Structures are given as structure tokens and as C-alpha cells.
Amino acid sequence: MREHASVLHLDLDAFFASVEQRDKPSLRGKPVVVGGVGGRGVVSTASYEARRYGVRSAMSTREARARCPHAAFLSGRFHAYREASRAVMELLRSVSPLVEPLSLDEAFVDLEHAGLPDLEVGTVTGLAEELRERVAAVTGGLTASVGLGTSKFIAKVASDLDKPDGLVVVAPGTERDLLRPMHVTVIPGVGPATAERLRRAGIHTVADLERVGLDELVQLVGRAHGHGLHELARAHDDRPVVPEREAKSVSVEGTYDTDLADRRLMEHLLTRQAGEVAARLRKSGLSGRTVSIKVRLHDFTTLSRSTTLPSPTDQTATISRLARRLLADLDTSGGVRLLGVGVSGLADWVQEDLFGETAEEQEPLPEVDLPTDRLRGWSPGMDVVHAEMGRGWVWGSGRGVVTVRFETAQTPPGPVRSYRADDPCLTAWQPAPLPEDAAPPAPG
Ligand SMILES: [Mg+2]
């Protein structure tokens, strides 16, 4: 156990929905639901205004619409989420070299390496306050909840205690008092099944759990889990903050604000990504045996598929052929919003390629337009630009008509206009691609 509350956990509040409210002034203070907007869609993030109506992540969009019919249901703009996430992670890395991102909107930071004069509660609290202000500054006003504690477990519990826009510091020595009244599900790894098993044994709170001996716990939930629970119930958690390490895989992925439905376009994108992966492998003198693809469907479910070669490769033709074959087995008829290719199982040498290609083959790529609104219509929330009215976002569409609200993060709430869906003056707006668009994380 650490002596000081030097583990910081930062969690952006209602992240996707907050980015939408930032960029769409008319939605500020209103219920916003980001997720799959189709019949089988699920909620990814609900704004706090929508949560008041009982809308939650992972709920079906159908149920969310029933609970909060007046919410804005948006299909998500990953370019904006990635950009905000990148700015926050960069800020955190300027504070300490030990930053462990957990997702786009969450990370641990180890303050033992932040160059602070000391790690007393007052000092780390001051740093956290300043960090929260800087998060708002670099993201154009997003709020973050921050927790500080003597371990990852405690820091994460702390950041959750005063959401949104909160800061909780658990003073060293008070961890067990904090945990005792909490339900056992506060412990990482205690899901519904374990909680139910514990409940049947009369164990509800962490205090109940603390009174159970190790042997009994192992009998209840198994050896590996039992040991972990025994430790965590006592707030014992030594897990280090682990920064993104040297790549164990090389991958490239792209997110699309408009669902891709055209198979040929998807294959084209996969082939191009395979080329980038292969080039990076060769540049680092690496090769890998396992080729994976990652596909996020229009309803936000994410699928990964992989296949393993008998020997490592760094060849575009091989990687792209396998990637396309993996894609062929997936049902993407409802549309796709993320595609990625990765190679893992890396070796720092290349063996004879499975398919016998010795020189890099350049497959001719079919000329295909990049994703535009024409591929799958106008999705709610997407960025558009009108020749005369300028930038706006799709408020709704149907029956050959698209309705746009003309406003951006920098404008007041703007006017609403409707157009024919094929109006040549109206086009999808895409940000200039960032170099980071080709960065990890790995598929899977
Ligand atoms: Mg969050």
C-alpha cells in the first residue's frame, strides 16, 4: 500500500453526450442520448439531463425513447470524441509520464512521478483542482470527475463518489471506513453472478465481506477470485499504474461518422489499413502471426475477429487478404462505423511468408469515394456544411428531406432549415484527418 494518495483517476463526465452539447449549443441543458439510433440500437452515453428520466448506457434505444421521447437521439461523431480524448491524454502526460488510459474518457495517473514537492493531501488536491480546470480549457469546456487515493481501486471509487464535475480525495488510512458500508459490487470483478453468490451467503456490503475468512471465500467464489476479493475487501491493492507500453501489436483503425454500408468500400478501406500496418511493421523490423479486424456496427456493438498464420508476416497482400476474409464472415448489412486492422503476436524477424510473396505486392486499389452522406443517408447529429448557411448538424431526416440546425460550438443556438436530401448545396463536413487517426489501440 502507498503511504500517500498519489494515484489519480480521471473520468470525463457523460463524455460523448457532453461533446455533443459542447458542439450543439441548442442541446445544452437538454437530454441527449448518443448511441445506435436504429431499431436494434443501444445507448452508448446519456447526458445527465437524460439520466434523470432513467436513460442509461447499454439500455436499448427503444426503451430510452420510451422513457425520454423528447431527448435528442444522436448517432455519434467519433472524430470529435477522439480529438477531445487526445487533448486530455496529452494534458495528463504533461503532468506525469505514468498515465494509463482505460478508455477514451478515463485514465489513471501516478503522481509519484509528477515532480511534486511532496504528496501530502493538500498538495495532490491542489494539483487535481488545477488539472480539472485545464481539462475544461483544452476541451472547450468538458468537465471531469477526479478521485485520488492510495491505490487504483480507491482512486476509481473516489472519482465516482461526486459525479459529475467532482473531486474526492480519500485520505490515507481512511480507505476501509469508506468501503465498509458500500455494496460488494464496488469491488472490481464483482459482477452480477459473484454478487448473487455472495448475497446467498448473506454477504451484501464490503463490511460483510471483510468478516469472511479466506477459506470460506475461496469456497464461495473459487481460488483466484477469492484471494483477490479477500485483499480488495481490505483495500489492499498494489496494482501499478502502467503506461502504454511498447506496442505488442500494430494496428490502424478508422471511425466514420456515417455508417458504411458498401462492401466494396469497406474492403478498400481494410486494404489501405493493411498497407499502413505492413509499412509500420517493416519500419520497426517487426512481423506478426495474428491478423485481426475490428468492426463496430451501426448499433455500437463491436466485433473482433482474428486468424493466426503458421509463420509471421509483414506483407500488405497477406494482411489485407486475411482481413477481407475475416470481414466476409461478418454481417455488416446494417452499416459499419469503425473498421480496423491489426497484427499481433509480433516477432522481430520475418519468416518466409505463408503465401510465398517475396516482394511487396501493390494491389491496385479500386477508386472509391470516401464515406459521404450519400452512402447511408443523413444520420442524426452528423456535421454538415451548406453552401450558403455554413456549418450545422443534422437534426433529422426522412422521406427525402433533411433538417439541419445551423450552429457550432462557437455560435449561439442557430436556425433550423429543411432541404431535399439530395440538395447539392448540402454536404457532409469532415475534419482534416489527423496523423493520430492511424494510431493504436489494437483491435480486440
Ligand atoms: Mg466517463
Side-chain angles (χ1 to χ4, degrees):
M1 285 292 286
R2 295 176 186 225
E3 208 180 308
H4 298 106
S6 57
V7 179
L8 182 148
H9 179 255
L10 180 138
D11 187 4
L12 295 162
D13 301 315
F15 180 48
F16 294 173
S18 300
V19 171
E20 296 303 337
Q21 290 176 321
R22 177 194 70 185
D23 295 345
K24 298 174 167 64
S26 61
L27 298 184
R28 292 176 194 159
K30 305 242 171 72
V32 172
V33 178
V34 179
V37 294
R40 294 177 298 133
V42 287
V43 173
S44 180
T45 312
S47 72
Y48 281 90
E49 296 84 358
R51 292 181 197 189
R52 262 174 237 137
Y53 293 85
V55 179
R56 296 281 178 269
S57 298
M59 174 182 281
S60 76
T61 300
R62 184 188 302 268
E63 186 174 354
R65 282 188 200 276
R67 291 189 183 204
C68 192
H70 60 294
F73 287 84
L74 307 175
S75 67
R77 297 173 307 131
F78 281 88
H79 70 82
Y81 311 150
R82 287 174 71 123
E83 174 50 29
S85 174
R86 189 198 56 73
V88 170
M89 296 303 167
E90 195 178 292
L91 169 63
L92 297 181
R93 286 190 193 98
S94 75
V95 169
S96 163
L98 287 190
V99 174
E100 181 177 340
L102 300 176
S103 62
L104 280 180
D105 68 329
E106 241 185 284
F108 287 114
V109 184
D110 192 334
L111 299 185
E112 299 225 343
H113 301 265
L116 292 169
D118 61 69
L119 294 167
E120 299 307 321
V121 166
T123 311
V124 295
T125 306
L127 178 130
E129 287 288 12
E130 188 196 322
L131 194 58
R132 276 161 27 82
E133 277 169 32
R134 289 171 70 195
V135 165
V138 301
T139 58
L142 300 187
T143 62
S145 294
V146 170
L148 282 159
T150 49
S151 67
K152 282 181 165 182
F153 174 29
I154 296 299
K156 195 159 159 60
V157 169
S159 74
D160 212 33
L161 285 179
D162 191 25
K163 272 184 141 308
D165 201 12
L167 168 61
V168 173
V169 184
V170 179
T174 65
E175 296 86 356
R176 292 172 79 164
D177 290 337
L178 173 76
L179 293 176
R180 277 186 187 116
M182 293 184 170
H183 193 254
V184 288
T185 48
V186 74
I187 295 175
V190 178
T194 303
E196 175 57 20
R197 230 175 281 172
L198 295 173
R199 189 191 64 80
R200 273 190 253 130
I203 302 163
H204 305 276
T205 64
V206 177
D208 297 337
L209 192 60
E210 211 183 333
R211 284 191 285 269
V212 182
L214 178 60
D215 289 346
E216 194 185 335
L217 211 48
V218 165
Q219 269 189 343
L220 273 171
V221 299
R223 182 159 298 277
H225 209 24
H227 278 273
L229 280 188
H230 191 260
E231 291 298 297
L232 290 170
R234 288 157 184 75
H236 295 166
D237 173 22
D238 290 331
R239 292 171 300 160
V241 176
V242 183
E244 282 172 301
R245 275 176 289 205
E246 260 180 81
K248 280 174 287 185
S249 66
V250 171
S251 65
V252 170
E253 62 182 52
T255 55
Y256 311 102
D257 293 334
T258 308
D259 294 345
L260 308 177
D262 180 333
R263 251 316 155 136
R264 228 164 50 91
L265 173 61
M266 288 185 229
E267 290 183 356
H268 170 83
L269 292 168
L270 280 183
T271 302
R272 210 171 61 174
Q273 291 173 339
E276 286 177 48
V277 168
R280 276 212 249 157
L281 286 170
R282 289 194 301 270
K283 207 171 139 198
S284 335
L286 295 169
S287 63
R289 286 178 57 205
T290 300
V291 174
S292 332
I293 64 166
K294 178 168 156 188
V295 177
R296 185 177 295 135
L297 301 176
H298 72 289
D299 65 356
F300 278 75
T301 46
T302 305
L303 308 171
S304 302
R305 292 290 183 272
S306 62
T307 182
T308 298
L309 295 162
S311 60
T313 184
D314 63 358
Q315 299 292 300
T316 300
T318 306
I319 298 166
S320 67
R321 182 180 307 130
L322 293 174
R324 290 193 305 259
R325 199 177 297 162
L326 291 168
L327 179 73
D329 288 337
L330 296 178
D331 177 9
T332 55
S333 53
V336 160
R337 47 175 51 217
L338 175 150
L339 274 178
V341 176
V343 171
S344 56
L346 297 187
D348 53 2
W349 46 278
V350 186
Q351 235 181 37
E352 189 188 347
D353 193 86
L354 178 67
F355 297 97
E357 290 119 346
T358 44
E360 178 67 4
E361 277 177 35
Q362 272 306 342
E363 287 194 16
L365 294 178
E367 275 310 307
V368 189
D369 286 337
L370 276 176
T372 70
D373 41 280
R374 312 293 171 214
L375 290 169
R376 202 191 143 79
W378 305 94
S379 59
M382 75 185 277
D383 295 308
V384 292
V385 59
H386 185 273
E388 280 155 31
M389 297 290 289
R391 290 268 311 275
W393 58 276
V394 171
W395 190 80
S397 68
R399 298 173 189 269
V401 173
V402 54
T403 301
V404 177
R405 191 185 268 278
F406 290 98
E407 61 183 6
T408 68
Q410 283 81 34
T411 68
V416 175
R417 299 271 185 282
S418 291
Y419 302 92
R420 280 177 45 159
D422 59 358
D423 189 328
C425 288
L426 194 66
T427 48
W429 181 84
Q430 298 278 352
L434 296 166
E436 282 87 349
D437 275 1

